[in-house]
Amino acid sequence: MTDLPRCRECVAEYGAAHDRRRREALGKPVRGICPSASAIHVDHCHATGKVRGVLCFNCNSGIGKLGDDPDRTRRAAAYLEGNSWKPILVAPGVYQLPS
Ligand SMILES: [Zn+2]
């Protein structure tokens, strides 16, 4: 997660970068995670700074709190679906826990 700037110059630079990402996002298709919520937050890759799309506040903060990590997000979905501790039958009588 990005640390918020503190000095006046850094705050201005941060705001300008945010505005630039928002302008970039206007040309991007909306790729919301939840289709019913209004997508008003510009989501960007913290590694590259590139805009990925526009999301609602909860989805944008949620994927950020999961570290923008697709594997972690998939494990969270599996957990919510009750599959995280479900053993996988790999051979007759041999089970494996999902990684
Ligand atoms: Zn959402």
Side-chain angles (χ1 to χ4, degrees), residues 26-94:
L26 290 175
K28 296 246 179 197
V30 175
R31 294 188 316 169
I33 294 173
C34 54
S36 60
S38 57
I40 55 170
H41 289 268
V42 176
D43 173 49
H44 70 281
C45 174
H46 291 101
T48 65
K50 290 192 173 182
V51 172
R52 289 186 287 222
V54 184
L55 301 173
C56 78
F57 173 80
N58 287 336
C59 290
N60 192 33
S61 63
I63 62 171
K65 289 179 184 196
L66 289 169
D68 291 350
D69 182 340
D71 287 336
R72 192 173 181 188
T73 305
R74 280 189 277 274
R75 287 195 299 275
Y79 171 81
L80 290 173
E81 292 168 343
N83 298 326
S84 59
W85 293 101
K86 208 176 274 182
I88 299 167
L89 180 64
V90 292
V94 179

